[in-house]
Amino acid sequence: MNAAPIGFFDSGVGGLCIRDAVRKLLPAEDTVYIADSANCPYGSRPPAEVRELARGHVRTLLAKGCKMVVVACNTATAAAIDALRAEWPDVPFVGMEPAVKPAALQSKSGVVGVLATEGTFNGRLYRETCARFAKGVTVVTCVADSFVALVERGELDGPEAEAEVRAKVEPLIAAGADHLVLGCTHFPHLAPLIARVAAGRAKVVDPAPAVARQVKRILAARNALNSSGGSRHEFIRT
Ligand code: DGL
């Protein structure tokens, strides 16, 4: 089991930032990554549809012998993680949660901006995270589905990408946000551009390193860490 790979899936290439953070922290692990580009974007799909897609990816990853599944997508986590855990109680799942907590703790202005998809904002997980961790802090939100298309096209900079990022980020900063939470795994790919647009006025909060630490904690607790792999990284694109 220890030598088995860690499985990841997302609606496209976004979740690669999560996989890469895991690879950085756990270089002796093998990985399998599913980029469901054929069905991208997930953000505006009904949750039941995202759930069905997620179940299919989990079946594929388990058939490939994965010892853990990282739902490297905020939208799919919001729509499906409870159902996945119920269906496969023996499989450890790690999901995404917008990093509202660290942003709220560090905010000096008392205003935190969150960028995510419609599906994430509509989910129970997001509401609960804000209710638990954003007490006394104002959370301003922005549906930034257009960032997903930019990242899928590999357009991480340039006039069009910058204009799009500016249109989403400026209102959050104007509302007083001094932290910008990237609540979609596609968005860290645009982090350098977002940081440039924010120009020191707000800090960009990337959840990937915290997710990687959670993967490590769970595998360590199950004595399932690998010490001899790290050379096999499969990438499946639908
Ligand atoms: N990367 C995804 C997320 O974290 C989904 C983006 C999309 O397909 O809309 O929410």
Side-chain angles (χ1 to χ4, degrees):
M1 188 62 170
N2 295 41
I6 302 173
F8 300 79
F9 73 88
D10 180 36
S11 63
V13 293
L16 285 174
C17 63
I18 305 299
R19 186 206 63 176
D20 291 349
V22 169
R23 281 183 62 175
K24 195 166 164 206
L25 187 67
L26 301 170
E29 297 289 343
D30 294 326
T31 64
V32 181
Y33 183 96
I34 300 176
D36 189 11
S37 300
N39 293 298
C40 188
Y42 282 5
S44 47
R45 284 179 188 272
E49 219 173 286
V50 176
R51 213 152 33 237
E52 273 320 293
L53 293 167
R55 290 177 68 231
H57 302 321
V58 172
R59 269 190 233 110
T60 305
L61 292 170
L62 295 180
K64 287 185 164 289
C66 291
K67 61 184 171 185
M68 165 187 268
V69 175
V70 179
V71 183
C73 172
N74 291 77
T75 310
T77 301
I81 195 113
D82 293 343
L84 300 178
R85 287 186 170 129
E87 187 166 349
W88 289 281
D90 298 330
V91 175
F93 286 96
V94 173
M96 303 295 306
E97 189 181 291
V100 171
K101 183 182 176 184
L105 287 173
Q106 289 163 26
S107 175
K108 293 209 171 24
S109 67
V111 183
V112 160
V114 183
L115 296 146
T117 66
E118 198 186 324
T120 295
F121 285 132
N122 288 338
R124 175 183 61 79
L125 202 63
Y126 174 73
R127 280 197 304 278
E128 284 179 6
T129 304
C130 284
R132 270 181 77 193
F133 301 119
K135 286 196 191 86
V137 168
T138 302
V139 179
V140 286
T141 61
C142 176
V143 173
D145 286 3
S146 56
F147 290 7
V148 176
L150 286 173
V151 172
E152 285 297 306
R153 287 203 301 272
E155 209 178 313
L156 307 183
D157 210 330
E160 197 193 319
E162 181 167 340
E164 197 52 53
V165 165
R166 202 168 284 286
K168 304 292 187 206
V169 162
E170 286 294 352
L172 298 177
I173 295 178
D178 64 353
H179 283 71
L180 300 173
V181 175
L182 305 184
C184 167
T185 55
H186 277 73
F187 300 172
H189 297 267
L190 290 166
L193 178 55
I194 296 171
R196 200 171 77 222
V197 166
R201 295 172 295 164
K203 188 172 173 233
V204 178
V205 185
D206 174 5
V211 177
R213 288 195 296 275
Q214 176 71 352
V215 166
K216 184 177 181 183
R217 261 194 301 275
I218 292 177
L219 289 179
R222 298 167 80 99
N223 281 323
L225 282 166
N226 194 352
S227 54
S228 57
S231 59
R232 287 185 304 128
H233 300 286
E234 190 177 353
F235 179 78
I236 301 164
R237 191 159 203 163
T238 62

